[in-house]
Amino acid sequence: MKTEQPFCLQVAIVGGGAAGFFTAIRLKEIMGSHVRVTILESGERVLRKVEISGGGRCNCTNSFALVTDLQQVYPRGHRLMKRLMKGFSQKDAYEWFEQHGVKLTTQEDECVFPQTQDSHTIINMFLHEAQRLGIEIKTKQKITSLDTLKDFDCIVIAIGGNPREESIKWLQHEIVTPIPSLFTFTINDLQLHELMGTVAEHATAMLPGTKMRSEGPLLVTHWGMSGPCILRLSNYAARLLAEHNYQMSLSINWTSHTEAEMHNELLDITIRNTQKMVMTIKPFDITQRLWSYLVQKSLGNERCNCRWGELSKKELNRLTNNLINDTYQIAGRAPFKDEFVTCGGISLSAIDASTLESKSIPGLYFTGEILDIDGVTGGFNFQAAWTTANTVAEAISRKIQ
C-alpha cells in the first residue's frame, strides 16, 4: 500500500538580509516539515547590512519606551506598523532573540543591542538556525523576473530598500518613488568643519518655514553635520529635501533651551562674572570648542576676547540667537554612500494589510524595507523587518491549515 506523502510548500525568499532570514526561520519554526525554504541572495554574502549596522554592533530593536505615537519613529507606514505590531511587537522580538541565545541589553536611550556589542552574534545565530532547520541558502542569485520563480508555491520579496526605481520594476507592482533616507548633511563651512568630532548632546535641528524638526545628539563632521539628530531630520523630511535637491536652510538650537531661557542664562553669567573673559565661561552643557566657535561667530575676531561686562545688548542678543537659532545652508547629502534606509518602495495600497500578500499576484509577499515603510535611527527599521517578516510567515503557514 502506497503511503501518501504530506504536502510540502515550496517557498522562495528573494533577499538574504534581516527580513529574509527572519521570514525563513519563522516559517520553519511554524511549519516544520510542511515547508521547504530557499533563500536567494544576489550578492556573494548574506546579512551584509546586519554586519555593518549600528557601527558593527547591530541596534536590533528599541524598547519604544519613549515613543508615544508610532508616527514619531515611522514617518511612513506607521498605521500599518501599529496594526502588525499587535501580532509581533518589540517585546516579542526581544524575547525571540533571547530564546535563540542572543542576550540583549537596553541602553539609556532605549536602543537595544546584543550584550556582546557585536553584530556577528546575531549573524551567527541566524546562520546556525538556518542550517539546523534545513533552510537552503543560494548566493549570486540575481532575480530580475517573477517568471524565474514559477516553480515555487509562494515567493517572498525581501530585497531591502533600493533608491533606483528601475531596479524594482520587475516586481510588477505600484511603486512609491524610492529616495534615500537617514543621511547626513553636507555644509560648506570651513570654520564649522574645524569642529570635527564635536558633539552637542541635546541639540534641535529644524528646517525653517516647515514643521520638520528633530532633537538629540548632533555630531559635527569634516563635511558638515551628522548624528541621531540630523539622521532623524533627514528621515522626517526625506521627500521635502529631495524636492529641493538637498539644498535648504537649516537652523540649529545647540542646547534645546528656549530663547528666554538662554537669554536669562547669559544675563545671569554676565551679572556674576563681569570681569571674566567671555571665552572662559560657557552656558549650560555646551562644549568649550563649540562655545569658542559660537563666540567668535557672534562677536567677531576683535571682540571675542572681551569681558562679560563689556558686552553690549546687541552682542548679547546676537550670542543668544546663535545658540538657539544658528543658521546654515545644506549643500547636499554627504559625498559618500552613507544611506542605510530607503524611503519609498512597494506601495502599501498594493498589498493586503493583514498578510502583506500582493492584491494582484496570489502567493507573492513583501517584507522588510522593500515596502514603503521606513523608520528613524534607533532600531526601528530592524523592528519593522522582524514584524513584517513574522506577519508573512504566519500568513503563509495558514495556506495549508
Side-chain angles (χ1 to χ4, degrees), residues 11 13 15-16 20-21 24 37-41 46 135-139:
V11 178
I13 297 180
F21 264 80
V37 182
T38 303
I39 294 176
L40 303 171
E41 164 59 36
V46 295
I135 297 168
E136 186 176 11
I137 301 172
K138 295 183 178 181
T139 56

Side-chain angles (χ1 to χ4, degrees), residues 109 182 214-219 226-234 376-377:
D109 61 2
L182 289 184
S214 173
E215 298 179 1
L218 185 154
L219 171 67
S226 183
C229 181
I230 295 300
L231 292 172
R232 288 192 177 207
L233 182 61
S234 78
V376 301
T377 183

Side-chain angles (χ1 to χ4, degrees), residues 189-258:
D189 185 325
L190 296 179
Q191 286 185 308
L192 177 71
H193 297 173
E194 292 178 0
L195 295 178
M196 179 182 64
T198 297
V199 176
E201 292 290 349
H202 305 290
T204 299
M206 300 165 282
L207 298 179
T210 77
K211 295 181 179 180
M212 302 293 182
R213 58 185 291 137
S214 173
E215 298 179 1
L218 185 154
L219 171 67
V220 180
T221 68
H222 67 274
W223 65 85
M225 295 183 186
S226 183
C229 181
I230 295 300
L231 292 172
R232 288 192 177 207
L233 182 61
S234 78
N235 185 261
Y236 296 145
R239 295 218 170 271
L240 181 63
L241 286 162
E243 290 170 6
H244 287 80
N245 197 29
Y246 305 100
Q247 296 183 15
M248 296 185 70
S249 295
L250 174 69
S251 174
I252 302 297
N253 182 329
W254 292 103
T255 68
S256 287
H257 285 279
T258 66

Side-chain angles (χ1 to χ4, degrees), residues 45-91:
R45 292 188 301 120
V46 295
L47 299 166
R48 290 170 296 172
K49 194 169 179 179
V50 174
E51 184 176 30
I52 63 175
S53 67
R57 297 187 298 140
C58 191
N59 181 186
C60 58
T61 186
N62 191 284
S63 75
F64 284 70
L66 302 178
V67 180
T68 57
D69 183 340
L70 284 187
Q71 192 170 6
Q72 293 174 305
V73 293
Y74 294 108
R76 289 154 290 272
H78 63 280
R79 292 187 181 87
L80 180 59
M81 283 300 297
K82 183 177 182 179
R83 176 176 186 163
L84 299 184
M85 286 182 71
K86 292 176 181 177
F88 196 83
S89 68
Q90 75 277 10
K91 294 180 180 178

